[in-house]
């Protein structure tokens, strides 16, 4: 590749990712490192959601099921096999395989169901996984979940940080290239006008299914890392709250920007941390979910493009009528 | 004369209303065919049946002798039926250039490439620029399609259709809603395609004067039925057409 043909923004992202490698040497507190790790994990999760929502225009309320699949696959395999690095790889493999099968089926359902019907269906499917995790006690330990052992090397907070950071960087640049490929361009065309994309000679269903599988697999990897960071799993990884969180991250950061969801993940996670820390100042901070709701409403009304989207539109002066309309349906 | 497109007994009913009623017609290859008829005659519905947006309640469509009645829009585009839309149908939040580039990309059959950067395909971009040049829209290449004036969207629509390089072009009122100054430019583009002589063009139009000197053949639809077919001269002289369409109460729609 010719080094001059690399976009300027790519250099900025590379510099930022290098800076993030230094952070654990400055921020040595375990709890702070843990928060940053969580941000990385949710950033990956939110990016995968952005592929669906921001690029392809598929509204899913059940994206958490892939996250949960990743988390449970890891937990169950690490619990039943020796705590070695090898079994960790097996866990990743299993998570990816299950997630791709499920996301393939879910994606294929877009053939029959449009927009909000599809959204409802995904919500129901995620609920199904939640119930399965609750009831299949022999395997999942039911509601209470279970802890599991990890190989020595993955227990070290520093190593985990590096692992999550590298995963984030790989997925960010990978997905960025994916969205800028001819394939990704067609996804954006589908978001804009599905019928027209079809009459240009593209088989829309294929694109939707592939987008769904890519998003599902990436989300499952986020789930794997999540289980790893907690060394514990319970049915919470299938909870709808997580989908809402990730929706909020994507929308605050900026739909269809890929950097936005990362920024959104950082903001939401830090806000969560600080606001709960303020609980002895005023009781309302304990109920931070109320504040979330308020922020969410305000963002949808005043910054429908999110942080990154708003900045971008300032620079490129692009209008956003259609996107705005899309956002309204999401906001409901 | 070889017929590139043929319909047999083609009908569609929406509830009790028969929008297209047993239309059997042959469209000759490399000719310019116009479809005229008053509002609600079923012209656009017929187009939707030909391009696959709607499927008929009865009858069939043949393209080069192959039965395509069951094919979807995507497949029909791939075998060579391209169409433009009367109600502008573009990708609003993508740039004008990107709109055309997507059509070029489809024509080049680059469909599932997800590793390479889209700018890797420089020739797509070049071709898109050429096409925009042809419809006099190149100065707007980097604006978003949503910001275009109505007439400019119509031009974009035509550029996207041309990009597909289909053998058959279905143009649904390409000049509808355009300002009077813009119409000649578009007619010029269409005449240019006709002059090249390698495409079959089917055009829906309201403006009688425009189609009369361009068309090789004219079809007249009335209440979903095909009431006449022939050269422009024959159509003007046809009595059924005169009483049903050209004369009387419909006259004002023709100007």
């Amino acid at each position: 590749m010719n080094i001059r043909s690399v976009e300027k923004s790519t250099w900025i992202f590379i510099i930022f990712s290098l800076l993030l490698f230094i952070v654990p040497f400055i921020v040595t507190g375990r709890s702070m490192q843990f928060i940053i790790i969580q941000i990385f994990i949710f950033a990956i999760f939110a990016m995968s959601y952005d592929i669906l929502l921001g690029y392809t225009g598929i509204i899913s309320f059940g994206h958490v099921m892939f996250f949960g699949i990743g988390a449970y696959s890891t937990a169950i395999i690490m619990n039943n096999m020796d705590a070695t690095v090898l079994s960790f790889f097996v866990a990743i493999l299993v998570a990816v395989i299950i997630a791709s099968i499920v996301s393939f089926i879910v994606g294929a359902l877009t053939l029959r169901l449009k927009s909000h019907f599809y959204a409802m269906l995904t919500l129901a499917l995620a609920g199904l996984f939640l119930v399965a995790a609750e009831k299949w006690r022999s395997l999942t330990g039911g509601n209470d979940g279970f802890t599991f052992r990890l190989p020595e090397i993955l227990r070290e907070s520093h190593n985990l940080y590096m692992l999550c950071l590298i995963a984030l960087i790989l997925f960010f640049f990978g997905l960025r290239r994916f969205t800028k490929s001819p394939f990704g361009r067609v996804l954006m065309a589908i978001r804009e006008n599905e019928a027209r994309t079809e009459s240009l000679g593209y088989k829309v269903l294929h694109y939707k299914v592939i987008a769904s599988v890519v998003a599902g697999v990436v989300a499952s990897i986020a789930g794997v890392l999540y289980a790893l960071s907690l060394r514990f799993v319970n049915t919470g990884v299938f909870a709808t709250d997580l989908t809402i969180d990730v929706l909020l991250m994507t929308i605050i950061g900026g739909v269809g920007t890929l950097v936005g969801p990362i920024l959104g993940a950082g903001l939401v996670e830090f806000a969560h941390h600080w606001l709960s820390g303020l609980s002895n100042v005023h009781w309302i901070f304990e109920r931070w979910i109320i504040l979330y709701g308020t922020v969410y409403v305000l963002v949808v009304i005043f910054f429908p493009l999110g942080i990154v989207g708003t900045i971008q539109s300032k620079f490129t002066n692009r209008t956003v009528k259609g996107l705005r309309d899309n956002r309204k349906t999401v906001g409901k | 004369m070889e017929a590139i497109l043929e319909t047999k007994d083609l009908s569609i009913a929406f509830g009790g209303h028969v929008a297209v009623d047993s239309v059997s017609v042959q469209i000759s290859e490399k000719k310019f065919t116009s479809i005229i008829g008053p509002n609600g005659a079923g012209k656009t519905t017929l187009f939707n049946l030909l391009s696959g947006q709607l499927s008929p309640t009865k009858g069939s469509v043949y393209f080069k002798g192959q039965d395509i009645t069951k094919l979807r829009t995507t497949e029909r585009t791939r075998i060579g039926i391209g169409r433009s839309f009367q109600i502008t149908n573009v990708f609003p939040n993508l740039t004008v250039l990107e709109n055309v580039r997507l059509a070029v990309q489809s024509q080049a059959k680059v469909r599932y490439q997800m590793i390479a950067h889209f700018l890797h395909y420089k020739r797509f971009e070049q071709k898109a620029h050429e096409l925009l040049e042809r419809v006099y829209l190149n100065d707007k290449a980097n604006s978003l399609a949503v910001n275009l004036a109505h007439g400019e969207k119509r031009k974009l629509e035509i550029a996207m259709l041309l990009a597909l390089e289909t053998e058959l072009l279905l143009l649904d009122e390409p000049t509808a809603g355009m300002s009077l100054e813009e119409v000649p430019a578009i007619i010029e583009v269409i005449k240019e395609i006709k002059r090249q002589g390698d495409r079959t063009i089917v055009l829906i139009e309201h403006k009688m004067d425009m189609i009369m000197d361009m068309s090789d053949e004219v079809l007249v639809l009335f209440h979903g039925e095909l009431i006449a077919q022939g050269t422009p001269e024959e159509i003007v002289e046809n009595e059924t057409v005169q009483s049903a369409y050209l004369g009387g109460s419909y006259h004002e729609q023709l100007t």
Side-chain angles (χ1 to χ4, degrees), chain B residues 60-124:
Chain B
S60 41
V61 185
Y62 297 89
F63 182 69
K64 294 187 193 167
Q66 184 199 349
D67 187 355
I68 58 162
T69 320
K70 294 254 152 30
L71 292 191
R72 293 172 58 89
T73 319
T74 316
E75 283 135 3
R76 295 194 197 195
T77 307
R78 290 187 184 182
I79 60 173
I81 303 176
R83 78 167 287 187
S84 76
F85 293 82
Q86 182 188 4
I87 298 155
T88 307
N89 200 350
V90 294
F91 304 115
N93 284 302
L94 303 179
T95 64
V96 170
L97 184 67
E98 181 66 15
N99 267 276
V100 183
R101 211 195 54 80
L102 278 163
V104 177
Q105 183 183 315
S106 170
Q107 197 275 325
K109 300 192 169 51
V110 177
R111 299 202 176 104
Y112 299 107
Q113 170 56 261
M114 42 184 116
I115 314 289
H117 197 283
F118 74 103
L119 289 177
H120 177 70
Y121 297 92
K122 279 250 160 40
R123 61 202 154 90
F124 292 174

Side-chain angles (χ1 to χ4, degrees), chain A residues 7 177-178 180-183 185-186 189 192-193 196-203 206-207 319 322-323, chain B residues 72 74 77-78 89-93 98 102 105-106 111-118 144 147 157:
Chain A
E7 286 169 81
R177 180 39 81 84
F178 175 73
K180 287 181 184 243
S181 70
F183 182 92
R185 294 276 132 175
V186 180
E192 292 296 323
N193 189 340
R196 189 69 171 114
T197 314
E198 221 162 45
S199 71
L200 280 186
Y202 294 109
K203 290 193 169 149
H206 293 193
Y207 288 86
T319 26
L323 260 178
Chain B
R72 293 172 58 89
T74 316
T77 307
R78 290 187 184 182
N89 200 350
V90 294
F91 304 115
N93 284 302
E98 181 66 15
L102 278 163
Q105 183 183 315
S106 170
R111 299 202 176 104
Y112 299 107
Q113 170 56 261
M114 42 184 116
I115 314 289
H117 197 283
F118 74 103
L144 289 184
N147 294 339
E157 186 82 39

